Amino acid sequence: MTTIKDVAKKADVAVTTVSRVLNNRGYISDETRQRVYAAMEALHYEPNELARSLSRKHSRTIGVLVPTIMHPFYSKLIEYVEIYARQHEYNILLYSAKAEKDDIQRCLVGFKANRVSGIIWCLRTQSAAQIIKSSMPMVAFERSLDLNITAVCCDNLSGGFLAAKELNDVGCKNVAIISGTMDKNLPAGGRTEGFIGACSQYGMKAQRFIMTEEEFIAREYWPSLTRILMEHPDLDGIFATSDLIAMQVLQLAKKQGLKVPDDLKIVGFDDVELTLFTIPQLTTIHQPLHEMCSRAVSLLMAQIAGQPVGIQEPLPVRLIKRGSTRKELEFEFTHANDND
Amino acid sequence: MTTIKDVAKKADVAVTTVSRVLNNRGYISDETRQRVYAAMEALHYEPNELARSLSRKHSRTIGVLVPTIMHPFYSKLIEYVEIYARQHEYNILLYSAKAEKDDIQRCLVGFKANRVSGIIWCLRTQSAAQIIKSSMPMVAFERSLDLNITAVCCDNLSGGFLAAKELNDVGCKNVAIISGTMDKNLPAGGRTEGFIGACSQYGMKAQRFIMTEEEFIAREYWPSLTRILMEHPDLDGIFATSDLIAMQVLQLAKKQGLKVPDDLKIVGFDDVELTLFTIPQLTTIHQPLHEMCSRAVSLLMAQIAGQPVGIQEPLPVRLIKRGSTRKELEFEFTHANDND
DNA sequence: CTTCGTATGTCAATCGGTTGACATGTGCAA
DNA sequence: TTGCACATGTCAACCGATTGACATACGAAG
């Protein structure tokens, strides 16, 4: 492998000069700069990032911590974060950690050992405390904590409101919200609050059902959902706080002979891709994930650069009307690129 | 941050000794070893991986190269590879590259600059050549090349065969295979071969339809699929070489008023999770992804350790019968953990 | 008593860059 | 003529480990 010394020799300059070119510091004439670039080109030189990182004391790497990768929402998130990170010439160091303490500890150790420049994390539980006290640049994703941690969230409150409004608009009288673990710091909290508030405003009867953490991890909500549908045949509208739940509600509704949207209207949340591949397609609340990821990365960069970053406004969500609430859209398909 | 020197001082030994403990080399008495561990514990010492990697000349990192992250199959793959890599105390450096040459070039540069110890890649096109000539430890995933590159594949041929057998078993006479880009090095090649062969063996009429690369990237196959279903109303069985395609066939079939499985039977491939969330659930060919990932990582480790690794046998696939081919299973749901 | 295996230390180079201190030299403006 | 901005070089320390060469003990086996 060619080193900076080889380049210096080839360009007939000092190592320091090459370093200056590489890092854009000090005075460099255009002519010298070109010579150095030419030498790098000729030798296929690629700076050793390990060495640079070692000396720089951080590694142009963003630690990304998610509960699981194999999930439509998180894999989308990772894809976008990776793209934006690369735009800043950062790599990502990916860890998936079910909310077990050990996992998170191991992961933090990994982040530190590899001198990540900052962390983007979205954990389910409050075990986040460990991360927070690790005190390095970080951005929480979809976790608004009481503490003043920089976080990127979408407007979950409005999302809940929009879902209720849609159900009301299409004539529901007796609705339910089905959410994951309730915790006011988790997104389900705001969504529930917005939904319940709007329901009472619209005069709809509203019930709450909460899925377990185990179901979230397994990504299978069937037992609870089956029970809910069986025990509450009078429900005419359901708001699920994630599309994965909504999709399974749709599936079970059909199994039980309910027609969607005739007998039961369903609204999901997230607008992940698979909402497009169900029959009917799922009405859902669109999160501006692209923008959220972009912002998360930018905020992290700002922190790494030592700039103070304040509390962020939540990003606006949007209702996407599809066949699961609108009969007339039953066979009209929207595309992934129509949004976002 | 505490360094190896701090540990040495605390344990009252030489830096060399700490390093010996850390790397299990040379003679170390149990007593000293314990003292060193205690010191590390007390100081919350975590060796700086950057420094270790620099001196070791590779970084205990596996470069992982996929076409996209936001895809049920690849996100599953990444999740598993991450898990197995960590078992070997390796990190993964994730790159997603649409098959554009530049992307791949950029990615290889990234891998080299970060001194990855090896690469696991699964690219769609033949642009793989660039990777191959990069000549470092590597394993191809689901890409069996003519060249003698170490690759991990499932038994695509049998998969195609099993799909045809299932369609025949449930009474199909006139079937089609819908696949992604055909290339004998890509999995669709073997699947097609197995399927077509079995069809002629069973005396089923079989047609072939090929989706474009653009559709693969967008993950939306609607236009082509719609056309196929419209122009061939006589089809009674479809084998899609990926579940994502199968799912959309299912969706469009319903849109066109075809009952699945009564009028049309569908078999997918991969057994990704979302096959569980359709109505009916999708019959599919299960790939032993867990095992494949585990093997991919092991093979890479072997290469990194300098051991020669031979050509690998493909791993066996399995037919998972579900509602899209079996009326009696229409409302009987299998779980993700039932397989694998 | 020698010799070897075990256990540890010292020293310094190395991995491949970064960076600060300082020297030198050129050319232009005041 | 002086002074300063620009351009580059030399030297050496440093980031935090790893590693080889070599020295020095101690205890047990031969």
Side-chain angles (χ1 to χ4, degrees):
Chain A
M1 295 249 87
T2 71
T3 75
I4 198 173
K5 285 183 197 159
D6 304 324
V7 175
K9 197 170 298 173
K10 176 93 177 181
D12 197 29
V13 294
V15 167
T16 308
T17 305
V18 179
S19 179
R20 283 187 186 125
V21 170
L22 227 38
N23 299 288
N24 265 316
R25 324 170 1 101
Y27 297 114
I28 290 288
S29 70
D30 261 2
E31 193 257 322
T32 307
R33 190 184 301 274
Q34 292 319 316
R35 256 206 349 272
V36 170
Y37 279 140
M40 301 202 295
E41 193 98 5
L43 300 173
H44 296 108
Y45 172 69
E46 281 305 326
N48 182 330
E49 283 303 322
L50 296 172
R52 304 184 80 178
S53 299
L54 177 60
S55 129
R56 201 192 300 121
K57 298 208 185 199
H58 70 108
S59 64
R60 291 187 83 81
T61 293
I62 298 179
V64 176
L65 181 48
V66 292
T68 173
I69 302 167
M70 183 184 21
H71 183 291
F73 181 77
Y74 295 113
S75 62
K76 199 172 170 184
L77 183 156
I78 296 165
E79 169 115 13
Y80 292 163
V81 168
E82 199 241 358
I83 290 172
Y84 289 114
R86 257 181 232 310
Q87 283 177 7
H88 293 266
E89 301 194 272
Y90 272 66
N91 286 318
I92 66 175
L93 178 53
L94 184 58
Y95 268 81
S96 71
K98 322 288 170 275
E100 285 137 40
K101 276 209 152 187
D102 286 357
D103 267 15
I104 295 170
Q105 194 50 52
R106 231 188 56 230
C107 156
L108 277 176
V109 166
F111 284 163
K112 289 210 171 146
N114 289 283
R115 301 294 189 272
V116 299
S117 311
I119 301 179
I120 293 179
W121 56 273
C122 37
L123 289 182
R124 303 276 306 165
T125 70
Q126 277 305 54
S127 47
Q130 288 176 72
I131 306 186
I132 291 164
K133 76 164 184 253
S134 82
S135 75
M136 53 170 109
M138 75 176 79
V139 175
F141 203 95
E142 274 293 80
R143 302 307 104 123
S144 56
L145 299 191
D146 345 277
L147 312 148
N148 51 355
I149 296 300
T150 310
V152 173
C153 296
C154 73
D155 191 344
N156 290 305
L157 210 65
S158 298
F161 180 88
L162 286 173
K165 178 169 187 307
E166 170 71 358
L167 291 176
N168 182 65
D169 284 355
V170 294
C172 295
K173 302 284 179 216
N174 183 12
V175 300
I177 173 169
I178 303 183
S179 74
T181 323
M182 280 287 301
D183 179 318
K184 71 175 189 306
N185 297 319
L186 288 177
R191 295 172 196 175
T192 304
E193 195 182 330
F195 183 78
I196 298 286
C199 284
S200 74
Q201 185 177 325
Y202 288 121
M204 291 188 291
K205 185 183 164 202
Q207 298 176 62
R208 268 158 74 159
F209 301 102
I210 296 173
M211 305 289 100
T212 66
E213 194 65 18
E214 289 68 43
E215 287 170 311
F216 168 77
I217 289 168
R219 292 179 294 287
E220 285 187 6
Y221 303 90
W222 292 332
S224 306
L225 294 180
T226 303
R227 197 159 19 78
I228 293 169
L229 289 179
M230 298 281 275
E231 294 175 1
H232 303 274
D234 49 334
L235 285 173
D236 57 9
I238 285 181
F239 170 41
T241 60
S242 90
D243 287 331
L244 216 46
I245 300 178
M247 196 174 183
Q248 291 175 54
V249 171
L250 175 62
Q251 186 187 28
L252 291 173
K254 290 208 172 181
K255 175 174 177 178
Q256 300 195 8
L258 296 171
K259 284 208 182 348
V260 175
D262 301 313
D263 304 327
L264 183 69
K265 333 271 188 215
I266 303 174
V267 178
F269 206 111
D270 289 345
D271 193 27
V272 296
E273 235 170 64
L274 50 75
T275 56
L276 302 177
F277 303 135
T278 56
I279 293 276
Q281 287 189 325
L282 275 174
T283 292
T284 190
I285 307 293
H286 174 82
Q287 289 202 55
L289 201 49
H290 246 304
E291 205 181 331
M292 291 168 75
C293 292
S294 154
R295 177 180 288 190
V297 171
S298 301
L299 286 172
L300 200 58
M301 292 301 142
Q303 286 181 60
I304 292 169
Q307 297 156 25
V309 296
I311 302 299
Q312 301 295 310
E313 288 298 306
L315 288 161
V317 296
R318 228 167 54 236
L319 172 74
I320 312 283
K321 296 176 192 168
R322 300 208 189 95
S324 69
T325 54
R326 306 274 175 167
K327 182 74 176 173
E328 68 274 19
L329 297 178
E330 188 170 1
F331 292 127
E332 205 167 289
F333 292 172
T334 52
H335 293 261
N337 294 337
D338 293 353
N339 325 315
D340 216 359
Chain B
M1 295 249 88
T2 70
T3 75
I4 199 173
K5 286 183 197 160
D6 304 323
V7 174
K9 197 170 298 175
K10 177 94 177 179
D12 198 30
V13 296
V15 167
T16 308
T17 306
V18 179
S19 178
R20 282 186 185 125
V21 170
L22 226 40
N23 300 288
N24 265 317
R25 321 169 7 101
Y27 297 114
I28 290 289
S29 71
D30 262 359
E31 193 256 323
T32 307
R33 192 184 300 274
Q34 293 318 317
R35 255 205 352 272
V36 171
Y37 280 140
M40 300 202 294
E41 193 99 5
L43 299 173
H44 297 107
Y45 171 69
E46 281 306 326
N48 182 329
E49 284 303 323
L50 297 172
R52 303 184 80 178
S53 299
L54 177 60
S55 128
R56 201 193 298 121
K57 299 209 186 200
H58 70 108
S59 63
R60 291 189 83 81
T61 293
I62 298 178
V64 176
L65 180 49
V66 294
T68 174
I69 302 166
M70 181 183 25
H71 182 292
F73 180 78
Y74 295 112
S75 61
K76 197 172 170 184
L77 182 156
I78 296 165
E79 170 116 12
Y80 292 163
V81 168
E82 199 241 359
I83 290 172
Y84 289 114
R86 258 183 231 308
Q87 283 178 7
H88 292 267
E89 302 195 272
Y90 271 66
N91 286 319
I92 66 175
L93 178 53
L94 183 59
Y95 268 80
S96 72
K98 320 291 170 276
E100 285 137 36
K101 275 208 154 188
D102 287 355
D103 267 14
I104 294 170
Q105 195 49 50
R106 229 188 56 229
C107 156
L108 278 176
V109 166
F111 284 165
K112 290 211 169 147
N114 288 284
R115 301 295 189 271
V116 300
S117 311
I119 301 179
I120 294 179
W121 56 274
C122 37
L123 287 184
R124 302 274 307 164
T125 69
Q126 278 302 56
S127 45
Q130 289 177 70
I131 306 187
I132 291 163
K133 75 163 185 257
S134 81
S135 75
M136 54 170 107
M138 75 175 79
V139 175
F141 203 96
E142 274 292 81
R143 302 306 105 120
S144 55
L145 299 191
D146 345 276
L147 311 149
N148 50 354
I149 296 300
T150 312
V152 172
C153 295
C154 73
D155 191 344
N156 290 307
L157 211 64
S158 298
F161 180 89
L162 286 173
K165 178 170 186 307
E166 169 71 358
L167 290 177
N168 182 65
D169 284 355
V170 295
C172 294
K173 302 284 176 216
N174 183 12
V175 300
I177 173 170
I178 303 183
S179 73
T181 322
M182 280 287 300
D183 181 318
K184 71 175 187 309
N185 298 320
L186 288 178
R191 293 171 196 177
T192 303
E193 195 182 330
F195 184 79
I196 299 285
C199 284
S200 74
Q201 184 177 327
Y202 288 122
M204 288 189 290
K205 184 184 164 200
Q207 297 175 62
R208 266 158 73 161
F209 300 103
I210 296 174
M211 303 291 101
T212 66
E213 194 64 18
E214 289 68 42
E215 288 170 309
F216 168 78
I217 289 167
R219 292 177 296 286
E220 283 186 7
Y221 303 90
W222 292 332
S224 306
L225 294 180
T226 303
R227 197 158 20 78
I228 294 168
L229 290 179
M230 297 282 274
E231 294 175 2
H232 304 272
D234 49 333
L235 285 173
D236 57 9
I238 285 180
F239 170 42
T241 60
S242 91
D243 286 332
L244 216 46
I245 300 178
M247 196 175 183
Q248 290 174 54
V249 170
L250 175 61
Q251 186 188 28
L252 291 173
K254 289 208 173 177
K255 175 173 177 178
Q256 300 194 8
L258 296 170
K259 283 208 184 347
V260 175
D262 301 313
D263 306 326
L264 184 69
K265 334 269 189 217
I266 302 175
V267 178
F269 205 111
D270 288 345
D271 194 26
V272 295
E273 234 171 62
L274 49 75
T275 56
L276 302 176
F277 304 136
T278 56
I279 292 276
Q281 286 189 326
L282 275 174
T283 292
T284 191
I285 307 294
H286 174 83
Q287 289 202 54
L289 201 50
H290 245 305
E291 205 179 329
M292 291 167 76
C293 292
S294 155
R295 176 179 289 190
V297 172
S298 301
L299 286 172
L300 200 57
M301 292 299 142
Q303 286 181 58
I304 293 169
Q307 296 156 24
V309 297
I311 302 298
Q312 301 295 309
E313 288 297 307
L315 287 161
V317 297
R318 227 167 57 238
L319 173 74
I320 311 283
K321 296 176 191 166
R322 301 209 189 95
S324 69
T325 52
R326 306 272 173 168
K327 183 75 177 171
E328 69 274 20
L329 297 178
E330 188 171 1
F331 292 127
E332 203 167 290
F333 292 173
T334 52
H335 292 260
N337 294 340
D338 293 354
N339 326 313
D340 214 354

